[in-house]
Amino acid sequence: MVSPKEAEEGNIEYKLKLVNPTQYRFEHLATQLKWRLQEGRGEAVYQIGVEDNGLLVGLTEEDMKASLKTLRRMAEKVGADITLLREREVDCDRARRKIAEVLVRKVPDDQQFLDLRVAVLGNVDSGKSTLLGVLTQGELDNGRGRARLNLFRHLHEIQTGRTSSISFEILGFNSKGAVVNYSDSRTAEEICESSSKMITFIDLAGHYKYLKTTIFGLTSYCPDFAMLVVGANTGIGLYLCIYIYILADIKMAAQQFAQSSSVTPIFTLSSVSGENLDLLKVFFNILPPLSNSKEQEELMQQLTEFQVDEIYSVPDVGTVVGGTLYSGVCREGERLVVGPTDDGRFLRLKVCSIHRNRSGCRVLRAGQAATLALGNFDRSLLRKGMVMVSPKMNPTICWQFEAAIVLLFHAKTFRRGFQVTVHVGNVRQTATVECLLGKV
């Protein structure tokens, strides 16, 4: 049996065995582990009993125990914990040999946990909010939608049982891979403090009349992955075209899912009985990030750019904006400019404080979502779709742009003077077609 050849980059490491290494060898192994953790932004997967070319050789029971003991020492040296994902036997000259897959995860420090955003899609009444309620609250549903009540933001959502706005829910995993949710934590701050990895679910509306809100959620909040929820009694009735491929192995599915656009694992589960919910939690626990440490570092070296998705007024705090940091690093006390205003200007402001997942932090890094307190800055000067950027960027505006489009379907003729709604990132703006240049 053979696995894919080990990649030099990434957070997956093959090791034939780790039995009684010398001190020099141990230091080298610990440095190598640190590199793999950096590549996985705090996570790495070790496959023990596997050669670099992917050949599944396996180890005896004694050698496997010794190898896992060494890996645990390596993890302790770099401030991480290990979790045995699975062991399985391989045939080798009729001898019983095993290979093991082990998750290594950094213990969180200064709230720099790994944070993945998952957009939750599905047709109306498919059970999206109920599933999220079960995952994040830690209690099964009663069959009548009780689990979803804590997720709704408006009275009419409670009355109709249907999501009409965008809401955010969190599910944490600690360094040992155990679930951290509201069943044993009373506040979001406690979940963040106890977690090494956070899954932020973006609960989107399923009804067609809220399609614009759903599109805004997909384009503006930069989800890493999307989870499609299909009601067992209705089938796929979504207004998006979905191509599905089945991969049964849960660990391989998580690794391949982030690397290949043609792999989509399917879970058949119940929010009432809890059937297969544990498999879904394991999948989220080991799901790797899309970007590696090098790509993250390159984004952080760029000038600061924060997109404004939400605007609030908070008593005793002032104006607060929510959104995602596209590039750079943002710190408490940093001075930025926000715009463009209706007359094309950018206004100066100061970031008074930062909150991630409802918990205070001092530094925001590229790719992370947060809310920023702006003090007494006039809220009426802000709107969704603005950006907050470094003054060094010298931002400019444009009134026209060129776009390559594919017209999928339309009831009327698409021609010059036609008005359309343009979705670009978090910008949702009406535009007029000035001219058409050729067609394919």
Side-chain angles (χ1 to χ4, degrees), residues 190-258:
E190 291 180 8
I191 294 177
C192 293
E193 290 172 359
S194 304
S195 300
S196 295
K197 181 177 188 175
M198 293 285 295
I199 305 294
T200 300
F201 294 106
I202 307 170
D203 190 14
L204 302 174
H207 199 285
Y208 185 79
K209 70 178 181 180
Y210 304 121
L211 176 59
K212 290 183 179 179
T213 301
T214 298
I215 293 177
F216 177 81
L218 287 172
T219 58
S220 66
Y221 291 109
C222 306
D224 299 289
F225 303 100
M227 178 171 69
L228 173 63
V229 180
V230 179
N233 60 333
T234 59
I236 298 178
L238 198 62
Y239 33 78
L240 301 175
C241 188
I242 306 295
Y243 297 90
I244 296 177
Y245 297 80
I246 299 177
L247 191 61
D249 190 304
I250 189 99
K251 278 76 176 181
M252 185 179 295
Q255 296 167 13
Q256 294 293 323
F257 180 56

Side-chain angles (χ1 to χ4, degrees), residues 33 52 64 84 121-122 170 187 253 265 273 317 364 376 392 429 439:
L33 172 58
D52 290 345
M64 181 60 72
L84 180 63
L121 298 162
I170 57 176
T187 65
S273 68
V317 175
L364 187 66
N376 59 1
K392 296 179 181 178
Q429 177 67 46
K439 59 182 180 180

Side-chain angles (χ1 to χ4, degrees), residues 139-150:
E139 294 184 6
L140 295 175
D141 187 56
N142 64 350
R144 297 186 296 275
R146 182 180 63 187
R148 67 191 177 191
L149 293 180
N150 290 329

Side-chain angles (χ1 to χ4, degrees), residues 115 117 168 200 221 306 323-325 354-357 364-365 367-371:
D115 189 4
R117 290 187 291 278
F168 300 85
T200 300
Y221 291 109
F306 180 90
T324 304
L325 187 66
I354 303 172
H355 273 67
R356 278 187 69 202
N357 289 317
L364 187 66
R365 293 172 170 80
Q368 296 177 343
T371 54

